[in-house]
Amino acid sequence: MKDISKLMNYRPSIKVVDATLRDGGLCNDFFFPKDFAKSLYEANLKAGVDYMEFGYRADKTMFDVDKFGPSKFCDDDYIRSVVGENNTDLKIAIMADVGRCDYKNDIQEKVNSPVDLVRVACYLHQVPTAIEMIEDAHKKGYETSCNIMALSTGQENDIKAALEMLGKSSVDVIYIVDSYGSIYPEAMARVCHMFGEVAAKYNKKLGIHAHDNQRLAFANTIECAGDGVDFLDATYMAMGRGAGNCAMELLLGFLKNPKFNIYPVIKFIEEHMVPLKKDGVVWGYDLQYLMTGLFNQHPRTAIAFTKDKRTDFGDFFKETMGLD
């Protein structure tokens, strides 16, 4: 059983990472209202959030810049237009997807950039390439993390092998990513133990990025926090791809560190997130996401179901089971 003091007390080592612009941007092609990013930055400062992820550093030769908002590419000039010189304690993060980022050219030396943390996202079979990207970012002066996606579909031996490879690399933080929202807390505890052994062996930090297909994103995040995971991802009003993520307002309401202030989060939600919903941006738990979570499937079919405004949940259930 978990030591209750780990949940009742607080660890100064815990870092809260706001992923609203990045994961939330997947819901609206990164087209946020004017001044949204600036207001979010200011809310994070007031709330005591440790890192703010500005989006992807996507390759502009692969993706049409006219079809996406600025957080799809979040170049340094865009980030500076929001944060200036960022003379604050809040650190800036970007995500670089393996195979979708020209990292050698598009990620400059840290001394010339407002970015502090480069988060490399990959699938298990892409870990060798992810390590190349991590080493490149490390040499340029950045903090680094590796987010291993779709963890719930991986074989345990493959996961352990990937963790060993990452442990021997320069990466600072290794992330547990429940991409499909299919991992239950009791299983998450075992995942934390497996990751924790490697983290202790190689002196790495751990992070958690959870999705809410079965309404377990918050539960899994605090499960991990109680097991020594320090980097906790969250988004305002749980905005994120499909069913969304761990809600920032839930997480800050739970954490006991007095540096965190939930009121600026509530005000930002009132003034900016609720209007997004009213304007028709769709995210959050629904039956179709529950089904893909139950069957440990990528939510792309549920996202298509949502976009088509389907309501035939019974038929979709049969489709996810392969009975159509």
Side-chain angles (χ1 to χ4, degrees):
M1 182 172 291
K2 211 175 304 296
D3 184 350
I4 191 66
S5 67
K6 291 183 179 179
L7 298 178
M8 291 298 294
N9 204 347
Y10 72 88
R11 296 197 311 278
S13 59
I14 282 182
K15 306 297 180 186
V16 172
V17 181
D18 168 39
T20 306
L21 283 178
R22 201 270 309 166
D23 213 321
L26 294 168
C27 303
N28 61 357
D29 291 329
F30 306 92
F31 286 113
F32 290 97
K34 184 181 179 182
D35 297 330
F36 182 95
K38 180 67 173 177
S39 297
L40 179 60
Y41 171 69
E42 292 172 351
N44 280 326
L45 286 173
K46 294 174 183 176
V49 170
D50 298 284
Y51 289 80
M52 178 174 172
E53 186 178 42
F54 264 74
Y56 290 98
R57 183 62 60 86
D59 186 346
K60 293 181 180 179
T61 66
M62 293 182 66
F63 299 95
D64 188 340
V65 296
D66 295 324
K67 292 183 178 180
F68 299 95
S71 285
K72 176 72 171 179
F73 310 98
C74 65
D75 55 47
D76 288 344
D77 288 341
Y78 165 66
I79 296 173
R80 285 196 181 92
S81 74
V82 177
V83 308
E85 294 303 315
N86 188 36
N87 295 316
T88 74
D89 292 332
L90 176 64
K91 292 186 176 182
I92 305 302
I94 59 170
M95 180 163 280
D97 260 348
V98 169
R100 300 182 179 186
C101 174
D102 182 10
Y103 64 96
K104 291 183 179 179
N105 295 308
D106 290 343
I107 298 178
Q108 302 301 311
E109 296 286 336
K110 168 66 186 86
V111 68
N112 299 319
S113 172
V115 174
D116 300 287
L117 168 65
V118 174
R119 286 155 53 99
V120 176
C122 68
Y123 293 102
L124 275 170
H125 70 279
Q126 297 172 321
V127 165
T129 305
I131 290 173
E132 286 188 15
M133 295 172 65
I134 287 162
E135 297 301 345
D136 179 80
H138 175 75
K139 289 176 183 177
K140 290 173 178 174
Y142 295 96
E143 299 174 35
T144 58
S145 73
C146 185
N147 293 36
I148 305 175
M149 300 182 290
L151 193 68
S152 58
T153 64
Q155 298 294 317
E156 184 173 331
N157 285 341
D158 292 338
I159 295 170
K160 287 182 176 180
L163 290 175
E164 279 292 319
M165 293 165 64
L166 286 167
K168 295 173 183 176
S169 78
S170 299
V171 76
D172 298 300
V173 187
I174 303 171
Y175 259 83
I176 300 164
V177 184
D178 184 16
S179 299
Y180 300 167
S182 60
I183 302 176
Y184 293 99
E186 54 87 17
M188 187 61 79
R190 296 196 298 273
V191 172
C192 282
H193 178 73
M194 177 171 53
F195 275 62
E197 288 185 329
V198 173
K201 179 178 178 181
Y202 293 104
N203 193 29
K204 305 296 184 182
K205 294 285 189 181
L206 295 179
I208 171 67
H209 181 86
H211 278 263
D212 212 24
N213 297 61
Q214 299 188 83
R215 290 187 166 174
L216 292 172
F218 173 58
N220 280 330
T221 299
I222 63 175
E223 177 76 28
C224 288
D227 282 334
V229 173
D230 282 332
F231 280 67
L232 312 179
D233 282 17
T235 61
Y236 282 62
M237 208 174 175
M239 185 184 189
R241 184 205 63 194
N245 304 101
C246 175
M248 181 68 76
E249 57 273 21
L250 287 174
L251 183 59
L252 293 194
F254 168 80
L255 294 174
K256 308 303 186 293
N257 192 330
K259 82 167 189 170
F260 295 124
N261 181 5
I262 194 174
Y263 180 72
V265 176
I266 300 298
K267 285 298 294 181
F268 184 85
I269 290 172
E270 173 192 341
E271 295 171 0
H272 298 277
M273 303 304 296
V274 172
L276 274 186
K277 280 274 192 182
K278 288 182 178 179
D279 288 342
V281 181
V282 178
W283 75 87
Y285 169 84
D286 212 331
L287 281 176
Q288 60 270 31
Y289 295 116
L290 165 65
M291 294 176 209
T292 57
L294 281 172
F295 298 116
N296 194 22
Q297 295 177 9
H298 193 288
R300 62 174 62 91
T301 55
I303 292 170
F305 180 98
T306 304
K307 287 183 176 179
D308 291 342
K309 298 183 179 179
R310 290 174 58 183
T311 57
D312 54 330
F313 295 105
D315 287 343
F316 186 71
F317 180 84
K318 290 185 286 185
E319 291 169 18
T320 58
M321 289 189 70
L323 301 176
D324 56 323

